Amino acid sequence: MALGVSYYLSRIIESFGLSFVIAFATAPLSIRIANKLGIIDRPKDGRRMHTKPVPRFGGMAIFLGSMAAMMIPAGMNEKIRYAMIGGALMYGLGVIDDIKDLKPAYKFAGQFLIASAMYGLGIRITFISNYFGAATADAHANVLLSAGVAYLITVFWIIGITNAVNLMDGLDGLAAGSVAIMACSLAYVAYIHGTRLGSMPVCIALMAVAGGCLGFLPYNFSPARTFMGDGGALYLGYMIAILSVISPLKQATVVGALIPMLTLAVPIFDTVFAMLRRTLRHENIMKADKGHLHHHLMAAGFGQRRSVLIMYGIVGIMGVAAVLISRELYMDAFALFLIAFLYLSIIIVPKRPKKNLRTILTQDVTDIQKENFVDYLNYERERRKQLRETGQAEDPTKFIDADPETTPARHEHKKDHSKGRSKDHKPDK
């Protein structure tokens, strides 16, 4: 006899709660371990957003919390047990990178071996949806893949999503909060169709991941007391990728394969955009830079907290679109997709879009910061001119943006300008 929905609902709550509590309780321990072992992220280049050393071993809390909670669905599904083994290996690879600072080639090789092992254990993508076939769950509605093609697609998916989430870990709380939203979206989709398709164990596992992220988030949200490090980022990216492959939901409709892609659209978009940007610059596509979506938001003057909340909103929109797709509400999902794409375009395209497309795609955010600073100086000149004409007293504490994250920097620039010094804007100071 099939287990009832109430049974699974209680397991979902248990999984989320256990993961949240363990992650929240072990985060301070991870900080102490990081300080003792010297696993510290120091602001050694202009790409980093923090100005003081921060421990970066917080991924331990997420790992311990989610892995402990995933023991619940692991007893229901053999593939989840295999996924947990891969998760432990991926976390270990990230921890080694945090300590030893591995070369990208070594890190990629490790990810490739782990993804290949998961394929060998039966966790694989075996078909691609046939959008011109009949809308049924029958295998004939899908294009079945050969073993070689299935292997390449599965490995590419796992490695791609793992690194896409890792690239999101650029602002305080961005990766942890975004992955929590993605995991909850996928879990809800699995819950909706769970009793019919047998995806309840995957739903429970995803809620364990979400619980670990949210338990860690209070220590990671701006101003962060700890970072998750590559250990946490690689582990989270891997778990989202592998659980989306395990889920039998993709068999529900011919467009079911779009659900994880829509949920993960923001990190996928950011990764593809980064690769295109570096290719147009004739740079190594693995080279780190300041051209990611969160860098553009910071350059626009939103500050860390507001930039992160904006990214949460876009990720959430795509998560809702994935839920609508699972219910075959395609027009509704397409409308949300257009809204999210509009916001992504606004983030990327500068205020002066007269430049050609290649310049827009390769523009360094430092240029955007300089443009914004020039606009600010012009506004200040005009404001002071109007005050002189009306005979009003100057208020030296009045600024355009009262955001405490941006006001001190602008006050410093105002002092430099008032003293007649002409110097280039240095956004990191």
Side-chain angles (χ1 to χ4, degrees), residues 139-389:
H140 297 294
N142 303 306
V143 178
L144 298 179
L145 303 175
S146 65
V149 175
Y151 168 73
L152 292 176
I153 292 179
T154 302
V155 170
F156 178 80
W157 173 259
I158 294 174
I159 294 177
I161 298 303
T162 297
N163 286 284
V165 172
N166 190 28
L167 290 176
M168 291 189 73
D169 190 25
L171 294 181
D172 296 352
L174 178 56
S178 297
V179 171
I181 295 171
M182 297 175 201
C184 287
S185 300
L186 288 171
Y188 184 60
V189 172
Y191 178 79
I192 293 172
H193 305 279
T195 54
R196 180 167 60 94
L197 297 173
S199 58
M200 280 300 190
V202 175
C203 172
I204 298 170
L206 285 165
M207 290 307 295
V209 174
C213 291
L214 294 179
F216 170 72
L217 193 57
Y219 300 92
N220 186 232
F221 199 73
S222 180
R225 285 182 276 173
T226 181
F227 296 154
M228 67 174 65
D230 274 11
L234 293 181
Y235 169 75
L236 288 178
Y238 164 84
M239 291 309 303
I240 288 291
I242 202 72
L243 291 175
S244 66
V245 173
I246 293 175
S247 175
L249 180 66
K250 55 181 179 293
Q251 300 173 9
T253 67
V254 294
V255 294
L258 280 177
I259 293 172
M261 293 185 67
L262 280 174
T263 308
L264 300 165
V266 174
I268 291 174
F269 177 88
D270 197 22
T271 302
V272 173
F273 180 65
M275 295 173 65
L276 177 61
R277 177 176 65 251
R278 293 161 190 170
T279 300
L280 292 175
R281 289 178 178 174
H282 305 290
E283 297 175 347
N284 187 336
I285 61 172
M286 302 297 292
K287 178 183 177 181
D289 60 20
K290 289 184 66 174
H292 295 289
L293 295 174
H294 52 270
H295 289 129
H296 281 266
L297 286 169
M298 288 290 292
F302 285 103
Q304 286 214 47
R305 293 181 182 178
R306 289 187 295 173
S307 296
V308 168
L309 293 176
I310 290 172
M311 293 292 289
Y312 286 173
I314 298 175
V315 173
I317 289 174
M318 298 310 301
V320 175
V323 173
L324 294 176
I325 284 286
S326 74
R327 293 189 164 184
E328 301 184 3
L329 299 173
Y330 305 128
M331 294 303 297
D332 307 66
F334 182 70
L336 286 181
F337 175 80
L338 289 181
I339 293 172
F341 182 76
L342 173 63
Y343 284 130
L344 291 173
S345 301
I346 291 173
I347 293 173
I348 292 174
V349 178
K351 290 189 298 184
R352 298 175 177 82
K354 59 184 179 181
K355 301 173 182 177
N356 59 53
L357 181 61
R358 181 187 178 93
T359 303
I360 291 175
L361 293 176
T362 59
Q363 187 175 27
D364 194 298
V365 294
T366 304
D367 299 331
I368 302 175
Q369 289 173 318
K370 289 181 178 179
E371 291 177 358
N372 292 334
F373 182 55
V374 169
D375 289 343
Y376 167 72
L377 290 181
N378 291 336
Y379 172 88
E380 279 292 287
R381 292 190 186 99
E382 185 64 25
R383 185 177 67 85
R384 293 178 184 182
K385 179 180 177 181
Q386 293 177 357
L387 288 175
R388 287 194 298 268
E389 291 176 351

Side-chain angles (χ1 to χ4, degrees), residues 96-165:
I96 294 173
D97 185 39
D98 287 329
I99 298 174
K100 300 293 185 182
D101 196 14
L102 294 175
K103 293 182 179 180
Y106 295 158
K107 189 161 56 173
F108 178 82
Q111 295 171 3
F112 179 80
L113 291 175
I114 295 170
S116 298
M118 292 302 102
Y119 178 87
L121 291 171
I123 303 176
R124 57 189 66 171
I125 299 172
T126 57
F127 67 85
I128 296 179
S129 297
N130 177 12
Y131 298 99
F132 301 101
T136 68
D138 192 273
H140 297 294
N142 303 306
V143 178
L144 298 179
L145 303 175
S146 65
V149 175
Y151 168 73
L152 292 176
I153 292 179
T154 302
V155 170
F156 178 80
W157 173 259
I158 294 174
I159 294 177
I161 298 303
T162 297
N163 286 284
V165 172

